[in-house]
Structures are given as C-alpha cells and as structure tokens.
Amino acid sequence: MAPAAILITGASSGLGTALAKAYAAPGVRLVLLGRDAARLEAVAEATRALGATLETAAVDVTDQRAMAAAVTAADEAGPLDLVIANAGIGPGGAEGADAAAKGRRILAVNLDGVLNTVDPIRLRMAARGAGQIALMSSLAGFRGFPGMGPYAASKAAVRIYGEALRVELRPRGVRVSVICPGFVRTPMTDGARFPMPMLMEVEDAAAVIRRGLERSRPLIAFPWPVHAGTRLLAALPATWSDALIRRVMRV
C-alpha cells in the first residue's frame, strides 16, 4: 500500500523538494520540514497544486527539542506511514581557518539531524507495528575521499546506523531503508570542483528512491556503476585504493 502520510526533512530544496513533488497526489498528506520558511512555503504551494494536503514547519534538524516536538505533533495529528530523514549539507571547504567549524556543522546536520528525526518516531511506529523510515546516506559513505572527510564520515555513520536500526525494527513491523545516491544535480553539487561521474537529474533520483521505498529495499544505492566502484575501492587494500583516488582526483 502506498504511504498516505509522509514526513520529509530538508524539503525546502534539492532532493527533499523533488521527493515532495514525487509523492504529491490527491489523498496524500505531506509534512515538510526545512529551515527556510519562505522556500518551504513555495514548495508547499507547488505540491498543493498536485493535489496533496500540506503541513509545514520551519525547524533546524540540529535542534533536538524542536525536532522532537515537530515530528511528534505530526504523528499525533495522524499516524505517519513514511518518514524520510533527508536533510543534509555538502562537503564544503576542506581547508581554511573555518574548516573545523564547517566539519562540525556537517556532522551536526547530516548525523545529528538524522537521529533527531528518527528518535521521536521509531518507537511510536514500533508500538503500532507499522511504518517505514528512510535515512539519507550517500555512496560517499562507503569510502573516504580527500576534501570530503566530515561529509563521508557523516554518511558512513548514517548508513551503519540505518543497518542496525533495520534489524532492530523489522521484527516490530517497521521497515527501514538506507538511501545512498551518487552525484545528483542540486544546489549542493553546484560549483563542485571534483569529478562527478554519472551526475543525475534530481527528479530522476527522486523516482529511483520512491521505487526503492515502495519495494522496501534495505539499501537503495545508485547509479549501480558508481555504487560498484565505491564498493570496490572500499574492498581493495588501502595502498591501492589511496593511489587510485589520488590519480582520479589529482591530489
């Protein structure tokens, strides 16, 4: 059965917006969370035009109390069928005086933000024996790349957390999927200065994710050649893998 009540974080731009539009349809209730209230309302208007019922909340995913209140309120208003912990930020600069602060911000948004989204809903879904949770990781979470240390670390942590959560919650009727996209054309990738093989349009990525969630796939990793490449790099001896990465990324 298709989900009728869906909560998406990071819905005010990029893949979050594309997912909101992909799910928008008559009879669907969307709860969209994001930091930018104006952009969030613009997305809400676009999805309302597609027939969905919309609720929005301007909240920062790093704010644990605010997230707990927003997610709990959404679930109390009507049980959520699907929660997509999508909010995230990109690698940013690996150097400079503010590099450490950027790294901590990446970890706060990409990892703490997922925990702050999942924690308020996982036991509620488990108590009623139904629901689906999707965690946004990345193919970068399979292997560290230069200039992307905090980002790759955050996505690796989300992937491993999702794997554990899937095993814990499945016997209680809750499905968990980890999403690992490759390069997707969004504001996050605009202006990137590193190779982005098989760059996908955001609408295509959202369609792949939706199909994977409909089939309750435990891991939704795409495109498959990039997925295979990252898994191979992770499996190779470190000296070989490091040498290949240095050659490709010219570092």
Side-chain angles (χ1 to χ4, degrees), residues 23-244:
Y23 278 106
V28 174
R29 171 185 168 231
L30 291 175
V31 181
L32 306 183
L33 307 186
R35 286 189 303 158
D36 190 310
R39 286 192 305 177
L40 198 59
E41 186 53 37
V43 176
E45 286 301 315
T47 48
R48 283 191 191 101
L50 296 171
T53 300
L54 263 294
E55 299 167 28
T56 63
V59 59
D60 188 326
V61 291
T62 65
D63 187 330
Q64 183 179 2
R65 289 186 178 181
M67 283 296 297
V71 174
T72 301
D75 195 58
E76 288 180 345
L80 295 168
D81 301 312
L82 169 62
V83 170
I84 305 177
N86 164 77
I89 55 177
E95 301 177 355
D98 61 346
K102 286 181 178 178
R104 289 184 175 86
R105 176 63 181 170
I106 289 167
L107 287 165
V109 175
N110 294 2
L111 178 54
D112 290 350
V114 166
L115 296 174
N116 292 342
T117 304
V118 172
D119 281 345
I121 194 63
R122 62 187 180 89
L123 294 182
R124 297 177 68 90
M125 285 184 170
R128 57 181 178 257
Q132 185 175 21
I133 298 171
L135 291 71
M136 190 63 68
S137 179
S138 167
L139 291 182
F142 286 98
R143 211 294 182 184
F145 293 90
M148 301 173 65
Y151 178 79
S154 70
K155 294 302 186 180
V158 168
R159 180 173 63 84
I160 298 301
Y161 171 62
E163 291 174 354
L165 196 67
R166 184 174 67 241
V167 177
E168 292 170 14
L169 293 182
R170 184 66 185 188
R172 303 177 71 177
V174 182
R175 295 162 291 149
V176 177
S177 295
V178 177
I179 305 167
C180 293
F183 297 106
V184 180
R185 194 186 305 278
T186 67
M188 187 184 295
T189 56
D190 288 346
R193 298 180 181 178
F194 47 80
M196 294 188 289
M198 302 191 72
L199 180 66
M200 295 182 69
E201 297 300 325
V202 69
E203 294 82 6
D204 295 333
V208 171
I209 292 168
R210 178 173 178 173
R211 287 196 298 271
L213 292 177
E214 286 173 347
R215 296 166 185 168
S216 297
R217 287 183 175 169
L219 176 66
I220 304 168
F222 61 94
W224 75 261
V226 183
H227 178 210
T230 56
R231 296 296 288 263
L232 176 61
L233 283 171
L236 286 173
T239 53
W240 297 7
S241 182
D242 289 353
L244 283 170

